[in-house]
Amino acid sequence: MNKILVINGPNLNLLGTREPEIYGSTTLADINAMLKARADELDLDIDFMQSNIEGEIVTAIQEARDKYNFILLNAAAFTHYSIAIRDAIAAISVPVIEIHLSNVHAREEFRHHSVIAPVVMGQISGFGVDSYIAALDIAARKLKKIRGEGKL
């Protein structure tokens, strides 16, 4: 099984029109298509979900336990205050990579702190769509290492 779940949080369904000076003009559908193409190249299965509802994201994380090898998570605003999402990540053994399109550390002070950072494998931010692609590539490399096919 080489399955990746991509979870996108609140307001990311508005990408392409939402604050394009920060987030660009690429839509979430565009990002998903790019990730699907890259996943095909890497021989990975990939699924996507987006929700503006915290509880739905918690449920998706919990249900990923026996279905997915990795979660790529852009929790958006929930990154900064959702203890429920943090606790869901901590409760499962599936590794999670935290993703942000913008450099959250160069933005407003309240965006500098991630409550989920202590329980994820790592964080990628500030590279726009490439943050997602980088996270997928890292997940693929980690899976190869787990299977004994590669060295890191």
Side-chain angles (χ1 to χ4, degrees):
M1 175 176 78
N2 291 309
K3 291 194 75 162
I4 309 292
L5 176 61
V6 180
I7 301 174
N8 283 287
N11 299 309
L12 292 169
N13 55 308
L14 300 177
L15 287 176
T17 58
R18 174 188 176 212
E19 300 177 273
E21 67 281 0
I22 295 172
Y23 300 107
S25 59
T26 304
T27 67
L28 186 57
D30 295 336
I31 291 171
N32 291 347
M34 289 179 218
L35 286 171
K36 174 69 172 114
R38 183 66 180 139
D40 288 347
E41 292 171 3
L42 296 168
D43 197 29
L44 298 171
D45 290 326
I46 193 165
D47 293 323
F48 305 94
M49 72 92 62
Q50 185 278 325
S51 181
N52 295 317
I53 302 168
E54 183 179 30
E56 289 180 359
I57 293 171
V58 169
T59 298
I61 292 167
Q62 291 174 354
E63 291 178 350
R65 285 186 294 189
D66 296 319
K67 296 179 187 172
Y68 296 96
N69 302 98
F70 262 91
I71 297 172
L72 309 183
L73 172 63
N74 184 342
F78 290 142
T79 299
H80 313 294
Y81 68 88
S82 179
I83 302 305
I85 290 174
R86 181 244 177 256
D87 288 351
I89 295 167
I92 65 169
S93 61
V94 178
V96 177
I97 299 174
E98 179 181 346
I99 302 167
H100 300 284
L101 290 162
S102 67
N103 180 352
V104 293
H105 303 287
R107 296 188 58 201
E108 303 92 340
E109 182 69 31
F110 70 87
R111 295 186 197 276
H112 296 186
H113 180 71
S114 166
V115 298
I116 65 175
V119 294
V120 299
M121 177 179 278
Q123 181 186 75
I124 302 171
S125 68
F127 297 100
V129 175
D130 289 335
S131 293
Y132 283 87
I133 300 298
L136 183 60
D137 285 346
I138 290 166
R141 288 184 64 203
K142 295 293 185 186
L143 286 171
K144 273 188 166 186
K145 184 178 179 186
I146 290 166
R147 292 191 311 258
E149 297 173 15
K151 295 181 182 179
L152 293 179

